[in-house]
Amino acid sequence: MATSAQNRLLIKGGRVVNDDMMQDADVYIEDGIIKQVGTNLHTPGGTRVVEAKGHLVMPGGIDTHTHMQLPFMGTFAVDDFYTGTRAALAGGTTMIMDFAIPQKGESLVEAYHRWRSWADPKVCCDYALHVGVTWWCDKVGKEMEELTEEHGINSFKMFMAYKDTWQLDDHDLLESFKQCKEIGALAQVHAENGDIIKENTAKLLDMGITGPEGHELSRPEEVEAEATNRACVLANQVGCPLYVVHVMSKSAADVVSNKRRQGHIVFGEPIAASLGTDGTHYYHKCWRHAAAHVMGPPLRPDCETPKYLMDLLANGDLQTTGTDNCTFSASQKALGKDDFTKIPNGVNGVEDRMSVIWEKGVVSGKIDPCKFVAVTSTNAAKIFNIYPKKGRIAVGSDADIVVWNPHATRTISAKTHYQAVDFNIFEGMEVHGIADYVICHGRVVVEEGNVRAVSGMGKFVPTPSHSPYVYGRVQERDIANAPKKVDRAPYDGPVIQLNNQG
Ligand SMILES: C[C@@H](CNC(N)=O)C(=O)O
Ligand SMILES: [Zn+2]
Ligand SMILES: [Zn+2]
């Protein structure tokens, strides 16, 4: 069938960047799919041309961790699936991975359908879902299997914090990890020790420390590191691959590095916030400013943390970058004006992630453009088993592409950002790297600063189980590491008699 002119696009004169190579090449697109990559391409008449000279042509960003319009702590995240995905496109991200989170006792499948009903009509770009496991029983295990087999879910997030609401104990963590392995899904953890947090919180409030500084004081980085280590040990003991979301500290990152060095199958996800700013803001005199940075795990007061985490992305010890975008405006954060435990947790990031990582990673000389593509897009596509449909500029891949201007600069501000939230944790930061053009489903949705995102144009992307990148070595490893019985003659010596008087 002849394609109509608006479905044909040629990105001309740019430098194509994938995670493993760069090349000067043009990219020809038809009906939302990349059809040709190369030079001197023959394209039909009526093809629209995007001039990309001096630009990098990269796979659109994949944000592995968002919470659009999340019902949380008595309110809803203010960026919904429309404003959130529109902002994502504005910044060069062409796919988000959000979370369907049931309350304790609720059906996981019902939560999945609820999130689908919220997202499908609104998303401007493609999206996938992880599903939260906030309680455990056999029914939960069966629903995890149904979600993997019938609904395109291949990752489940278990919470080790949020005691009394979403937190699982070690027994339930083990059961959920075993089930993830059984169905070929990836176990994700929110790694903080919720029991220590509860203990510390009571002490701090008793001492009259009710401000946002109390939030970080209640959960210092060793509380994140302890849970990260525990999750790695539990998962490794049942042979389940693990993905640690929102890695926020040096200590937790070191745990992931060391476990990977010991051969564990574990992945770590720092976020734009932990790569771009720090926890000194909790001590800001302005309550609103300090509260705007409240999230869990918290940003760390050690201002060397962002560089440290970027170095671990550079050397491959950490693999993906999300944002944990879960935004609340001043009046919502003010629910906790007298008690930091009531400040809705969450920060922005979905719009600025690509620029923040370009500035802190590439401009600083820590990562090159190929590694930038790896950590903002390709690694996520491989881990969640949607590669090369997503995460690559190649024939047959989706035409989700960012035409990146590496030299242009902008100053990040809530005054100019597309997000609905009234605060930006990167306020005032000058960054290099602007998405001059963003192509989504083969259509130009961002053009030199004009965002023409279309609500409902995004599609749900099923993530299939048994990702080779995650499970490719699990079977052999189980066989190789299986404990072996020792053949020996039975003991035939004396045995004491136990008296029954206890
Ligand atoms: C509830 C959700 C977002 N909030 C946060 N990280 O502070 C999460 O824990 O990832
Ligand atoms: Zn979390
Ligand atoms: Zn989250």
Side-chain angles (χ1 to χ4, degrees):
M1 178 194 73
T3 52
S4 56
Q6 74 265 19
N7 287 352
R8 291 199 294 263
L9 187 65
L10 176 68
I11 303 172
K12 195 166 173 48
R15 189 154 175 73
V16 168
V17 184
N18 280 310
D19 68 326
D20 57 356
M21 51 120 20
M22 285 193 250
Q23 60 172 334
D24 292 332
D26 301 341
V27 180
Y28 176 65
I29 295 153
E30 259 184 24
D31 295 329
I33 302 294
I34 297 171
K35 300 289 189 186
Q36 299 179 66
V37 179
T39 51
N40 307 316
L41 302 183
H42 296 289
T43 56
T47 298
R48 177 176 173 185
V49 178
V50 168
E51 292 297 344
K53 191 165 172 39
H55 288 68
L56 302 178
V57 181
M58 306 188 290
I62 299 174
D63 185 338
T64 53
H65 190 149
T66 63
H67 300 280
M68 303 308 176
Q69 66 191 77
L70 176 72
F72 193 47
M73 297 177 76
T75 182
F76 285 84
V78 68
D79 274 297
D80 66 10
F81 281 104
Y82 169 63
T83 61
T85 52
R86 181 166 177 264
L89 289 170
T93 288
T94 55
M95 181 175 177
I96 64 168
M97 303 187 80
D98 209 281
F99 290 79
I101 306 179
Q103 297 308 320
K104 261 190 201 310
E106 272 186 352
S107 157
L108 278 66
V109 174
E110 282 174 20
Y112 163 82
H113 288 301
R114 188 159 61 245
W115 256 260
R116 287 295 308 270
S117 71
W118 290 343
D120 287 349
K122 288 186 178 177
V123 286
C124 304
C125 70
D126 283 0
Y127 79 105
L129 287 174
H130 315 288
V131 174
V133 177
T134 54
W135 61 299
W136 178 260
C137 67
D138 288 350
K139 178 177 182 281
V140 169
K142 288 193 179 57
E143 288 207 322
M144 287 169 70
E145 185 175 23
E146 178 184 336
L147 285 164
T148 299
E149 288 185 354
E150 298 173 31
H151 300 296
I153 300 296
N154 75 2
S155 50
F156 294 89
K157 178 178 180 180
M158 279 58 82
F159 295 85
M160 302 170 79
Y162 305 125
K163 186 158 179 65
D164 308 326
T165 52
W166 296 347
Q167 182 175 322
L168 298 184
D169 65 16
D170 288 357
H171 170 270
D172 292 351
L173 282 172
L174 273 176
E175 290 304 310
S176 53
F177 289 174
K178 281 158 53 179
Q179 181 63 356
C180 282
K181 181 178 180 184
E182 183 64 28
I183 61 180
L186 183 57
Q188 298 186 318
V189 282
H190 176 125
E192 287 187 286
N193 185 311
D195 290 279
I196 298 174
I197 293 167
K198 184 172 183 177
E199 177 71 25
N200 287 342
T201 296
K203 271 188 228 159
L204 288 159
L205 292 175
D206 280 351
M207 294 166 71
I209 300 175
T210 63
E213 70 280 9
H215 178 77
E216 201 275 335
L217 290 167
S218 71
R219 47 225 285 178
E221 61 179 88
E222 70 172 1
V223 175
E224 181 189 357
E226 181 278 331
T228 304
N229 187 71
R230 181 159 36 104
C232 287
V233 170
L234 293 175
N236 191 53
Q237 285 297 305
V238 297
C240 175
L242 182 71
Y243 180 101
V244 182
V245 304
H246 47 46
V247 173
M248 301 297 291
S249 65
K250 291 178 172 180
S251 314
D254 284 347
V255 169
V256 173
S257 294
N258 294 334
K259 290 300 181 186
R260 284 176 64 88
R261 207 170 295 118
Q262 292 164 22
H264 286 213
I265 304 178
V266 57
F267 304 100
E269 171 205 82
I271 62 173
S274 58
L275 293 163
T277 186
D278 60 48
T280 54
H281 293 279
Y282 296 127
Y283 298 90
H284 198 285
K285 288 289 190 188
C286 164
W287 186 91
R288 195 274 176 275
H289 181 100
H293 293 78
V294 167
M295 67 163 291
L299 291 159
R300 300 302 173 186
D302 178 345
C303 58
E304 291 304 307
T305 304
K307 294 191 185 93
Y308 195 91
L309 297 178
M310 188 59 77
D311 284 333
L312 293 184
L313 278 173
N315 80 358
D317 280 4
L318 299 174
Q319 291 72 38
T320 58
T321 54
T323 59
D324 203 1
N325 193 93
C326 188
T327 48
F328 300 98
S329 287
S331 57
Q332 293 174 295
K333 289 277 187 175
L335 288 168
K337 65 185 179 60
D338 304 316
D339 174 351
F340 65 80
T341 68
K342 297 187 171 54
I343 299 172
N345 285 204
V347 296
N348 65 286
V350 74
E351 182 169 344
D352 299 309
R353 177 181 66 113
M354 299 288 272
S355 293
V356 167
I357 293 168
W358 187 268
E359 184 68 24
K360 302 295 185 180
V362 179
V363 175
S364 69
K366 288 181 180 290
I367 61 175
D368 66 19
C370 290
K371 178 63 86 171
F372 174 82
V373 167
V375 301
T376 59
S377 183
T378 309
N379 289 352
K382 290 178 176 176
I383 289 170
F384 295 105
N385 208 8
I386 49 179
Y387 180 83
K389 170 182 169 64
K390 301 290 186 187
R392 189 164 188 85
I393 303 289
V395 172
S397 297
D398 285 3
D400 287 351
I401 298 170
V402 56
V403 180
W404 191 253
N405 183 337
H407 308 299
T409 61
R410 67 186 176 98
T411 301
I412 295 176
S413 173
K415 296 183 190 63
T416 53
H417 71 199
Y418 286 89
Q419 298 201 222
V421 65
D422 63 3
F423 192 91
N424 191 312
I425 59 170
F426 308 112
E427 186 71 33
M429 185 187 290
E430 186 181 50
V431 291
H432 290 79
I434 292 183
D436 274 357
Y437 293 88
V438 177
I439 289 96
C440 178
H441 278 265
R443 292 173 57 169
V444 179
V445 293
V446 175
E447 182 166 8
E448 300 192 335
N450 301 311
V451 178
R452 291 201 305 273
V454 177
S455 193
M457 191 177 94
K459 300 284 175 264
F460 174 71
V461 178
T463 50
S465 67
H466 297 93
S467 163
Y469 193 77
V470 173
Y471 274 91
R473 49 190 156 146
V474 167
Q475 201 171 0
E476 290 72 11
R477 161 189 298 253
D478 285 352
I479 296 164
N481 298 346
K484 293 170 184 61
K485 177 175 177 298
V486 173
D487 285 333
R488 58 167 71 86
Y491 173 79
D492 57 6
V495 181
I496 65 166
Q497 290 301 314
L498 292 179
N499 62 38
N500 299 332
Q501 276 67 45

